């Protein structure tokens, strides 16, 4: 099983600041990586796939990078609606990271 | 518009069985692999099972292998999860998810399964 490890567990950021979230795979997954956003009481929403491609309707302030085992999700200027939990997922055999909660500082 | 509507979640006793259903609409159902993903309230996401477009290939998380069975009826645009030998560890919100040839691009709102005596 491929283990996905996200850091930090919680990220405190002020609105308008940049947020950088990390995700590490226990073995190489090429770019078979997606990022999801989940708000309280809602289902997860696909943000990024193939490590760096934004899903339909996702604002340009969200960007993804990385390949192999190290990946990053960057939110360039946090808006109020971006405070949520973010999960990475590898889709070679579908495991998720444990999530990073982005909270208001 | 893609819609995935789960149903069947209830309170069940340990050792019991349950069948979840997911009604899909807004896309060509039999073109896509489908998954079940679960989430303990307040915790992270756990992939549970997948079934390919034709219902031939299935895969399961180790935590449910041998107890859960995923199936689909393409004529009814429906996905199912038969859950047997349930334990308290299976208590979770179960999501029906569409696979867009890799990433999970659409999720239902989930159905809550509670295993409790």
């Amino acid at each position: 099983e491929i283990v996905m490890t996200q850091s930090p567990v919680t990220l405190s950021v002020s609105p308008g600041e940049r947020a950088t979230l990390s995700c590490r795979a226990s073995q190489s997954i090429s770019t078979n990586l997606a990022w999801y956003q989940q708000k309280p009481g809602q289902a997860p929403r696909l943000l990024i796939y193939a490590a760096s491609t934004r899903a339909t309707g996702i604002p340009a302030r969200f960007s993804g990078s990385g390949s192999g085992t190290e990946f990053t999700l960057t939110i360039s200027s946090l808006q109020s609606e971006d405070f949520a939990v973010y999960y990475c997922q590898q889709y070679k055999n579908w495991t998720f990271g444990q999530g990073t909660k982005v909270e208001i500082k | 518009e893609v819609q995935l509507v789960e149903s069947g979640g209830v309170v069940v006793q340990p050792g019991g069985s349950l069948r979840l259903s997911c009604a899909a609409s807004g896309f060509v159902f039999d073109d896509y692999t489908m998954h079940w993903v679960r989430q303990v309230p307040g915790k992270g996401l756990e992939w549970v099972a997948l079934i390919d477009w034709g219902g031939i290939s299935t895969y399961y998380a180790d935590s449910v292998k041998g107890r859960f069975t995923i199936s689909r009826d393409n004529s009814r645009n429906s996905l199912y999860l038969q859950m047997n030998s349930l334990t308290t560890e299976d208590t979770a919100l179960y999501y029906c998810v569409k696979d867009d040839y890799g990433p999970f691009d659409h999720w239902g709102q989930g159905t809550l399964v509670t295993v409790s005596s």
Side-chain angles (χ1 to χ4, degrees):
Chain A
E1 177 184 305
I2 299 174
V3 177
M4 306 301 291
T5 304
Q6 291 186 241
S7 61
V9 173
T10 304
L11 185 61
S12 298
V13 186
S14 299
E17 288 188 341
R18 181 187 195 92
T20 302
L21 290 66
S22 296
C23 175
R24 174 177 292 177
S26 61
Q27 61 184 267
S28 177
I29 56 169
S30 184
T31 55
N32 294 305
L33 184 104
W35 290 94
Y36 302 86
Q37 176 193 67
Q38 188 177 33
K39 297 179 181 179
Q42 296 185 16
R45 175 175 71 145
L46 177 65
L47 296 177
I48 300 283
Y49 63 94
S52 61
T53 303
R54 278 190 302 277
T56 302
I58 301 303
R61 65 181 181 273
F62 291 92
S63 63
S65 64
S67 66
T69 62
E70 301 282 344
F71 301 88
T72 300
L73 173 70
T74 301
I75 312 171
S76 59
S77 176
L78 270 156
Q79 307 297 301
S80 58
E81 62 266 30
D82 301 334
F83 292 97
V85 179
Y86 292 83
Y87 295 94
C88 64
Q89 180 213 22
Q90 57 84 13
Y91 44 87
K92 287 188 75 174
N93 53 24
W94 316 289
T95 52
F96 292 89
Q98 81 278 20
T100 291
K101 181 180 180 180
V102 177
E103 64 177 24
I104 300 175
K105 187 173 182 180
Chain B
E1 178 196 2
V2 172
Q3 286 202 313
L4 300 167
V5 180
E6 304 93 337
S7 60
V10 291
V11 178
V12 61
Q13 291 192 335
S17 297
L18 199 56
R19 188 195 199 204
L20 305 183
S21 299
C22 171
S25 61
F27 65 103
V28 181
F29 183 67
D30 54 10
D31 276 355
Y32 294 92
T33 292
M34 297 294 294
H35 300 256
W36 288 97
V37 174
R38 68 185 181 183
Q39 184 173 38
V40 174
K43 303 297 185 183
L45 301 167
E46 180 187 15
W47 173 78
V48 172
L50 85 78
I51 187 166
D52 72 353
W53 62 272
I56 304 302
S57 294
T58 58
Y59 296 91
Y60 298 92
D62 287 345
S63 58
V64 308
K65 202 172 295 183
R67 301 187 299 121
F68 289 12
T69 302
I70 189 172
S71 62
R72 65 192 295 162
D73 183 341
N74 287 343
S75 69
R76 295 177 181 271
N77 286 354
S78 292
L79 177 72
Y80 306 102
L81 185 67
Q82 177 67 41
M83 309 164 65
N84 298 332
S85 303
L86 286 161
T87 75
T88 55
E89 309 263 299
D90 297 315
T91 293
L93 187 64
Y94 285 74
Y95 291 105
C96 168
V97 185
K98 173 181 169 286
D99 179 324
D100 188 25
Y101 306 103
F104 294 0
D105 66 336
H106 287 90
W107 300 61
Q109 285 304 303
T111 188
L112 183 62
V113 173
T114 303
V115 183
S116 173
S117 55

